[in-house]
Amino acid sequence: MPAFRKLLPTERDQYLAHLLRLDRTDRYARFTGTISDDVIRQHVAGLDWGRTILVGAFIQGELRGAVELCTDRLLWPNQAELGISVEKGLQGRKVGTTLIRRTMTIAANRSIQQVHMICLADNVRMRALSRKHGGRIELEGGEFSVTFDLPRPNQFSLALEALEDGAGAFNTVLDRFQGAALDRAA
Ligand SMILES: CC(C)(COP(=O)(O)OP(=O)(O)OC[C@H]1O[C@@H](n2cnc3c(N)ncnc32)[C@H](O)[C@@H]1OP(=O)(O)O)[C@@H](O)C(=O)NCCC(=O)NCCS
């Protein structure tokens, strides 16, 4: 079971390594097109941490899945855009489901009213995930756009995020401990 938690700006390199590990198909799906390693490097180097929240899934200290939630309070108030990636070995194990669910709580707690996402039309996993989280899907040519309408924040959503932040820190320690134990056994 991965440890889920927000990433710190100092973990930029972990995010870069994760995106570079995506195979060709997943990279194409994540960025809805072909992009080179250099463009991924520029993308990660250009992240504005004041406007971006990254939520990750870690296995033995390595980032294996991530959601990038981008906001712009001035140009796009109360709206956000989401990109998600889970590495092949972890797909189909509900990691994407958990990442999206947690990200929606985090977004709602920042008074974001709608989260948007663009995916390739043949991305069946993302369609299933979007439907499961109540996303409104609209087909546009070879792509589909999804809009998630979020509830207003409340005590429960604020407490849930705080609880999950605490659990994330605890699980990160356990995950590292387990990783070190496996390294010693090898
Ligand atoms: C899309 C992605 C994030 C999903 O992550 P994941 O961890 O595999 O997702 P989950 O295991 O939580 O859920 C996958 C869902 O797809 C469904 N699914 C899997 N294969 C399917 C198929 N062939 N047809 C229909 N549904 C399928 C699963 O049943 C599951 O739905 P359920 O929970 O209702 O049963 C992951 O595949 C990925 O990173 N893909 C490459 C990048 C990408 O496409 N990003 C999205 C654009 S930003």
Side-chain angles (χ1 to χ4, degrees):
M1 181 66 183
F4 293 92
R5 65 173 174 82
K6 294 179 191 126
L7 269 76
L8 300 168
T10 48
E11 293 174 307
R12 192 188 289 265
D13 286 349
Q14 279 262 28
Y15 187 45
L16 174 62
H18 160 66
L19 290 179
L20 290 175
R21 274 194 301 270
L22 294 177
D23 67 18
R24 191 195 292 217
T25 326
D26 287 346
R27 185 188 288 200
Y28 192 84
R30 166 62 179 83
F31 293 97
T32 50
T34 307
I35 64 163
S36 66
D37 288 1
D38 277 349
V39 173
I40 291 187
R41 283 193 192 95
Q42 283 163 22
H43 172 76
V44 174
L47 284 179
D48 177 348
W49 291 83
R51 298 194 292 115
T52 308
I53 296 170
L54 287 176
V55 186
F58 289 83
I59 302 266
Q60 292 167 28
E62 294 285 334
L63 182 70
R64 298 290 179 184
V67 163
E68 185 180 324
L69 183 77
C70 302
T71 60
D72 193 322
R73 293 260 167 216
L74 290 179
L75 295 178
W76 216 28
N78 309 118
Q79 308 288 314
E81 190 181 18
L82 178 154
I84 180 169
S85 44
V86 175
E87 290 180 31
K88 266 290 181 293
L90 263 192
Q91 288 178 7
R93 291 164 57 185
K94 309 291 179 206
V95 173
T97 300
T98 305
L99 284 172
I100 296 225
R101 209 267 304 139
R102 289 190 180 212
T103 305
M104 294 303 163
T105 303
I106 293 167
N109 285 346
R110 279 141 192 85
S111 295
I112 289 167
Q113 292 165 359
Q114 288 186 320
V115 174
H116 306 270
M117 190 173 56
I118 305 279
C119 302
L120 296 170
D122 62 0
N123 196 334
V124 283
R125 283 207 162 127
M126 210 52 243
R127 273 205 213 203
L129 273 187
S130 304
R131 256 186 248 110
K132 195 158 68 172
H133 288 88
R136 278 185 285 120
I137 298 178
E138 278 178 51
L139 265 174
E140 293 167 16
E143 296 174 349
F144 66 92
S145 65
V146 189
T147 305
F148 301 94
D149 295 310
L150 301 189
R152 289 161 67 92
N154 55 37
Q155 284 99 331
F156 175 74
S157 65
L158 293 166
L160 182 62
E161 183 180 344
L163 191 75
E164 289 183 338
D165 281 346
F170 185 70
N171 288 334
T172 297
V173 175
L174 284 184
D175 174 64
R176 291 232 171 103
F177 183 71
Q178 191 185 23
L182 286 173
D183 285 348
R184 273 199 303 275

